[in-house]
Amino acid sequence: MSFEVEQVDAVTPPPKARVDDAPRERDYLSGFLAQKPAAEAPGEPGGALYEAVIDALKDIFDPEIPVNIYDLGLIYGVDVTDDGHAAVTMTLTTPHCPVAESMPAEVELRVASVPGIATAEVNLVWHPPWDPQKMSDDAKLELGML
């Protein structure tokens, strides 16, 4: 394979970009940076009421495993409405768990006691089934699984 080499004296420079005389904003981020952060809705993740419900759930411990039910991965979902209704979807480690009858009632009682929560309901589900992979890293560390 051979290449041809061409000798040139000069190369014509490409045309320069032209900018219209229209006024431009110097910093394109100035509008973005001036925006105020959107306020967190109290019932949404990160909101004060939602986080208070999560804190209440973290105060409930499984009697057989020394880890709270939230970090254990038993809580599948928390929904808090604007009018203060909290719905918690949860499971248990097994359907034959000794606290199968008392744990949902305790969760409902603790969530309903959070200031700002008017009513609470607990939906106990078995699908998907709980497994140790649902635990937080903190829980796994506490149990010596990490």
Side-chain angles (χ1 to χ4, degrees):
M1 179 186 233
S2 66
F3 294 100
E4 289 185 32
V5 178
E6 178 183 344
Q7 192 74 17
V8 295
D9 293 329
V11 176
T12 308
K16 293 192 178 199
R18 298 182 55 102
V19 178
D20 295 337
D21 290 335
R24 293 187 318 152
E25 200 170 316
R26 264 190 97 60
D27 186 0
Y28 66 94
L29 288 176
S30 65
F32 173 77
L33 295 174
Q35 291 177 355
K36 300 288 183 218
E40 297 285 344
E44 295 294 319
L49 189 54
Y50 179 90
E51 295 303 324
V53 170
I54 299 300
D55 288 343
L57 293 170
K58 287 182 177 182
D59 284 341
I60 304 170
F61 285 79
D62 185 291
E64 296 176 317
I65 305 170
V67 175
N68 70 68
I69 63 171
Y70 189 82
D71 288 333
L72 198 54
L74 298 179
I75 305 300
Y76 286 174
V78 175
D79 294 312
V80 180
T81 63
D82 291 338
D83 60 348
H85 176 73
V88 177
T89 303
M90 69 174 291
T91 194
L92 297 172
T93 54
T94 175
H96 306 292
C97 181
V99 294
E101 291 189 28
S102 62
M103 182 67 75
E106 182 178 357
V107 169
E108 186 173 326
L109 184 66
R110 295 274 189 107
V111 170
S113 70
V114 171
I117 296 297
T119 58
E121 76 176 277
V122 174
N123 301 308
L124 188 60
V125 298
W126 301 109
H127 186 58
W130 179 86
D131 66 72
Q133 294 305 313
K134 294 186 181 346
M135 293 191 302
S136 70
D137 287 344
D138 289 341
K140 290 176 185 175
L141 186 62
E142 178 75 24
L143 297 173
M145 297 174 69
L146 277 183

